[in-house]
Amino acid sequence: MSASTEAIIIEIVFSLGALIAVGGLIGLFIAKHRRRGLRPAMTIIFSGAGLVIIALLLNVLIFKTYDHVRVKKDQYYEIVSLTANMNTSLASSHAENQPVTPRDKKASKNVTYLVKHTNQGNHSLQLAQAAQAQLTTQQWPDLKLVKRNYRLILDHYFQETVQPSRTATRLSSHAYQQATKFHK
């Protein structure tokens, strides 16, 4: 199931629970006005409230927000890990003619690993491998090429995982800013 389908199901359960609870409240007022038993109306209210609580718990357990957009938790952690490793791999780029440190090389390998294991396409994997080759084999890598490859990797990732495409573009821009923070 896609994230949007799961989100819609959770919203339907929440709305249904809220509607049942409101119906129970109306039934409670009617029963009180007619001086009838309140137990059936209270049961309906509790049932509706239970559905609302279940929907809220499912929402908390399944989703997180990334730049004010609801994404699945596993996608959220993939995004955060990918951008953090991209940022770390570019850590030595803020100073001119500074060689790449072993930590930066490891982070570039992590980017390639994440691209490979998040089931991205072959093109993204080739871009990650090219960026890794620049950062691991070159003493002074071409950082414009690395940043361009990282941008394309993020674009491809969000186009595959987030709908609509306008939201995917916005999330990709935000992730790229996080990946290149302090590395202009």
Side-chain angles (χ1 to χ4, degrees):
M1 240 189 283
S2 70
S4 61
T5 306
E6 291 169 347
I8 290 171
I9 291 171
I10 289 172
E11 288 174 8
I12 288 172
V13 170
F14 181 83
S15 300
L16 183 64
L19 185 64
I20 290 171
V22 169
L25 282 172
I26 292 170
L28 182 69
F29 290 129
I30 291 172
K32 188 174 182 182
H33 179 51
R34 293 185 180 172
R35 297 183 183 188
R36 307 250 172 144
L38 303 179
R39 180 171 280 175
M42 292 299 289
T43 303
I44 292 172
I45 292 171
F46 286 133
S47 299
L51 284 174
V52 167
I53 291 170
I54 289 170
L56 290 173
L57 285 174
L58 284 174
N59 191 31
V60 168
L61 293 173
I62 295 175
F63 296 105
K64 283 185 88 65
T65 57
Y66 183 76
D67 193 32
H68 309 294
V69 175
R70 187 173 13 178
V71 293
K72 284 185 171 181
K73 275 192 175 182
D74 58 342
Q75 291 172 339
Y76 173 82
Y77 293 121
E78 288 171 0
I79 296 164
V80 170
S81 181
L82 193 60
T83 55
N85 279 296
M86 288 177 173
N87 189 289
T88 303
S89 71
L90 294 169
S92 61
S93 69
H94 53 78
E96 290 286 327
N97 296 324
Q98 183 174 352
V100 179
T101 64
R103 188 186 92 199
D104 300 346
K105 290 179 182 181
K106 183 178 180 188
S108 71
K109 290 177 184 176
N110 288 344
V111 170
T112 304
Y113 174 84
L114 287 167
V115 168
K116 188 175 188 178
H117 288 85
T118 55
N119 298 322
Q120 294 191 39
N122 285 334
H123 183 64
S124 293
L125 182 59
Q126 291 169 352
L127 291 169
Q129 289 170 340
Q132 178 183 342
Q134 280 292 314
L135 292 169
T136 58
T137 61
Q138 304 294 322
Q139 187 169 3
W140 289 282
D142 181 4
L143 293 175
K144 287 184 181 179
L145 173 72
V146 173
K147 287 180 181 180
R148 182 181 76 68
N149 286 0
Y150 284 173
R151 178 62 189 229
L152 292 173
I153 290 168
L154 290 169
D155 287 344
H156 290 141
Y157 178 81
F158 284 106
Q159 289 298 327
E160 292 174 4
T161 58
V162 177
Q163 295 296 330
S165 62
R166 189 174 74 208
T167 304
T169 303
R170 183 173 62 88
L171 287 178
S172 178
S173 296
H174 178 74
Y176 181 73
Q177 287 174 351
Q178 296 300 311
T180 59
K181 192 186 306 186
F182 308 119
H183 309 289
K184 299 295 176 195

